[in-house]
Amino acid sequence: MDETPIPTPRMLSWARNSTIYRLERKMMTEKQLFDAITKKAKQKFEDISDEQIKAVADYAVKFAYDQNALNDVTYAEISTRSAVRSGKSKKAIAFKLSSKGIDSETVIAALDGADDARAAVIFARKRGFGPFRRGDLDEKRKAKELSAFARNGFSFGIGKTVFDMSREDAEEFLSSSTTS
C-alpha cells in the first residue's frame, strides 16, 4: 500500500479537476477544501497512502490559491455580511467561521463591522418576537423569547432592548441601519 509517497499524475489531475468542480459550485475555506479532497481521495483511489492523500490535498489547496479561487479572508467577510443580514449574532458567526477552519484573527477582522443590534432585530422579525410579536405576551412567552435571544448568541442587554422596542422603532431602526 505504501509503495510510493508521491502522488501519481492521475491523482494530481483528479485533484485539480475536483478542486475546480467544488469551487465552481460554492465558496469554500482552505480547511473545507482540504477535508473534501482528502475524503474523496480515500474513496477514489484504493491503494493510496496517507502521505499521498496529504500531498494530493495540499496540491488541491495550492492549485486553488494559484487560481485565486480560495481566500479565507474574503470567505469570512462575505459569510459575516450574509449571516448578519439573516439575523445571526457575532458569537454565532464567530463559532461557525472557526468551525470551518478560519483562524481567529481573520474571524475578529471579519466581525469588526458586524452589528449585533441590527442582527437581533432581524432575528426578532424572522421569529415573530418582541416588536414583531403577533400574539399576546404572557410570562411563558416572555421567557421563551428572551431565552431564544440568548441561545442564539445575543447578550441579555441586546435581547432586552429589541424585546422592548415598538414595531415602529424596530422598522425605523432596520431602515436607518441599512443606509449606513
Side-chain angles (χ1 to χ4, degrees):
M1 187 164 152
D2 269 64
E3 299 136 9
T4 175
I6 301 168
T8 65
R10 179 173 168 255
M11 289 175 184
L12 295 178
S13 175
W14 169 84
R16 190 189 73 227
N17 291 338
S18 185
T19 299
I20 292 168
Y21 174 83
R22 290 168 195 292
L23 292 176
E24 280 180 338
R25 276 148 189 75
K26 75 176 206 174
M27 205 172 174
M28 301 177 98
T29 65
E30 180 179 324
K31 180 183 182 301
Q32 286 177 308
L33 178 63
F34 185 92
D35 292 348
I37 295 294
T38 298
K39 181 180 176 188
K40 203 65 176 173
K42 287 177 186 175
Q43 296 170 355
K44 176 121 179 103
F45 303 105
E46 289 179 19
D47 294 332
I48 192 167
S49 69
D50 288 343
E51 293 84 13
Q52 286 174 314
I53 290 171
K54 183 175 179 342
V56 165
D58 286 339
Y59 172 81
V61 168
K62 182 185 179 319
F63 173 76
Y65 273 116
D66 290 346
Q67 302 303 312
N68 291 324
L70 199 61
N71 185 331
D72 282 359
V73 173
T74 303
Y75 181 94
E77 291 169 353
I78 291 170
S79 294
T80 299
R81 283 194 304 270
S82 174
V84 168
R85 281 193 310 267
S86 67
K88 302 282 188 271
S89 69
K90 285 184 177 184
K91 189 184 264 186
I93 296 166
F95 179 77
K96 185 160 189 160
L97 291 174
S98 295
S99 72
K100 292 184 180 285
I102 306 286
D103 67 87
S104 59
E105 290 173 15
T106 304
V107 170
I108 290 167
L111 290 173
D112 188 38
D115 182 358
D116 250 2
R118 175 174 170 64
V121 173
I122 293 168
F123 174 76
R125 184 177 62 194
K126 285 174 74 174
R127 299 284 298 269
F129 287 169
F132 303 98
R133 184 180 317 104
R134 288 167 199 88
D136 292 332
L137 181 65
D138 57 21
E139 284 304 310
K140 185 177 175 185
R141 173 110 181 151
K142 180 179 179 179
K144 176 185 176 189
E145 291 183 17
L146 288 173
S147 62
F149 281 111
R151 280 194 310 276
N152 285 280
F154 297 106
S155 71
F156 178 77
I158 288 176
K160 184 87 172 96
T161 300
V162 174
F163 179 84
D164 291 337
M165 279 182 168
S166 71
R167 186 178 190 108
E168 295 77 32
D169 289 345
E171 296 286 358
E172 186 179 317
F173 179 78
L174 284 178
S175 65
S176 68
S177 61
T178 55
T179 57
S180 55

